[in-house]
């Protein structure tokens, strides 16, 4: 039986793309994946994840990595939400790889409803779907997908670091990322394309900068 594990990396950060990976491998390859040490990407060091990717791709019957850029996320969020964006990309991966069974790390709490949303856009409506929260820790196919997705996102972030200077992970809880965004918006009128401008963090930082500029303008006007 061909099993497809699906997971993402970069759902929450304010900087960088969202990467979604579909990892297809026959059930007979599970032992090889276990021997390789496959588990949830968050339980592995960046160095370990990177060292595993080449072998993971060799073991796979097939795999797909879909990149959703910050600009695309901002554009789509005007008419949709992040869950719907993910669902459409997952449906594309499933239809492309045509597995016998799908295992998905669900971004929604109601996993039964999420599975039916996924099924709605599939060519094969009878496919077996397992959707659970945090199943990248439980299912090895999803663990493999999480590793590949994470390594691909890390590579994208590394490119940005080389071009624009180090800004940390890109997540909103990272002080280096926030400092970078504040510095950028103080020097420029708008955020660059690799920032998710629709994220509340980016919106608030820009609003604070605009209000500061308005305040400075009014103070100057009143003093003349």
């Amino acid at each position: 039986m061909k099993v497809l594990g699906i997971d993402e990396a970069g759902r929450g950060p304010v900087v960088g793309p969202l990467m979604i990976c579909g990892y297809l491998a026959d059930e007979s390859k599970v032992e090889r994946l276990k021997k390789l040490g496959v588990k949830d990407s968050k339980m592995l060091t960046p160095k370990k994840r990177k060292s595993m990717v080449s072998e993971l791709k060799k073991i796979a019957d097939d795999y797909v990595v879909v990149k959703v850029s910050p600009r695309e996320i901002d554009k789509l969020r005007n008419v949709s939400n992040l869950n719907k964006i993910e669902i459409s990309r997952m449906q594309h991966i499933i239809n492309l790889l045509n597995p016998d069974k799908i295992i998905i790390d669900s971004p929604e709490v109601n996993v039964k409803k999420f599975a039916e949303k996924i099924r709605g856009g599939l060519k094969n409506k009878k496919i077996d779907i397992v959707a659970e929260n945090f199943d990248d820790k439980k299912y090895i196919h999803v663990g493999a997908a999480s590793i590949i997705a994470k390594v691909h996102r890390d590579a994208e972030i590394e490119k940005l670091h080389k071009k624009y200077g180090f800004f940390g992970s890109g997540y909103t809880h990272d002080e280096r990322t926030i400092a970078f965004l504040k510095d950028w918006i103080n020097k420029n009128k708008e955020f660059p394309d690799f920032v998710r401008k629709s994220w509340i963090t980016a919106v608030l930082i820009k609003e604070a900068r605009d209000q500061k500029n308005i305040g400075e303008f009014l103070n100057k006007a009143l003093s003349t």
Side-chain angles (χ1 to χ4, degrees):
M1 178 185 284
K2 295 287 178 66
V3 179
L4 175 66
I6 301 178
D7 200 6
E8 53 75 22
R11 176 181 170 82
V14 64
V15 177
L18 166 67
M19 311 297 288
I20 305 173
C21 177
Y23 186 85
L24 184 71
D26 193 271
E27 282 187 328
S28 62
K29 297 181 178 181
V30 166
E31 288 305 315
R32 289 177 65 187
L33 293 172
K34 286 181 179 178
K35 189 175 181 180
L36 185 61
V38 173
K39 58 181 72 175
D40 173 22
S41 64
K42 292 183 284 294
M43 299 171 71
L44 300 167
T45 64
K47 184 178 180 181
K48 182 63 176 176
R49 288 194 297 260
K50 197 171 183 179
S51 71
M52 294 171 72
V53 166
S54 178
E55 189 61 27
L56 274 175
K57 291 178 178 180
K58 289 178 184 177
I59 293 172
D61 289 294
D62 208 344
Y63 70 93
V64 173
V65 180
V66 173
K67 174 182 173 182
V68 189
S69 70
R71 179 187 284 184
E72 191 175 3
I73 289 171
D74 288 338
K75 182 179 178 181
L76 290 171
R77 287 189 76 203
N78 288 325
V79 295
S80 186
N81 60 49
L82 195 58
N83 284 359
K84 289 180 180 178
I85 294 168
E86 280 195 46
I87 287 169
S88 68
R89 299 308 185 276
M90 289 176 178
Q91 289 167 336
H92 171 71
I93 290 171
I94 295 164
N95 287 330
L96 195 64
L97 298 181
N98 192 31
D100 301 307
K101 180 179 180 180
I102 314 158
I103 308 174
I104 306 175
D105 186 15
S106 172
E108 298 183 3
V109 176
N110 189 333
V111 293
K112 186 176 180 181
K113 188 175 181 180
F114 175 77
E116 289 311 308
K117 288 178 184 177
I118 290 288
R119 193 183 304 280
L122 301 185
K123 294 175 183 177
N124 179 5
K125 304 291 184 183
K126 296 181 179 180
I127 200 165
D128 184 15
I129 301 176
V130 176
E132 295 182 13
N133 301 127
F134 310 110
D135 67 0
D136 45 2
K137 295 180 175 67
K138 184 176 178 181
Y139 298 98
I140 203 160
H141 288 76
V142 181
S146 76
I147 292 168
I148 294 175
K150 180 62 175 168
V151 169
H152 276 255
R153 174 175 157 82
D154 286 349
E156 292 289 326
I157 296 301
E158 192 175 333
K159 289 177 189 175
L160 293 174
H161 284 163
K162 288 179 180 178
K163 188 172 182 180
Y164 298 100
F166 184 75
F167 55 76
S169 65
Y171 281 82
T172 56
H173 58 72
D174 190 329
E175 292 180 1
R176 296 163 299 184
T177 298
I178 299 304
F180 172 84
L181 293 176
K182 287 180 178 178
D183 183 62
W184 182 284
I185 206 66
N186 283 332
K187 294 177 180 176
N188 305 277
K189 292 182 178 180
E190 298 290 340
F191 284 119
D193 285 342
F194 59 85
V195 172
R196 301 180 191 180
K197 301 176 182 70
S198 62
W199 250 232
I200 187 64
T201 302
V203 171
L204 292 176
I205 289 173
K206 188 174 186 302
E207 283 181 352
R209 184 257 191 190
D210 291 343
Q211 288 171 4
K212 179 184 176 183
N213 285 352
I214 291 171
E216 288 176 351
F217 172 78
L218 289 175
N219 286 335
K220 281 185 180 179
L222 290 170
S223 63
T224 56

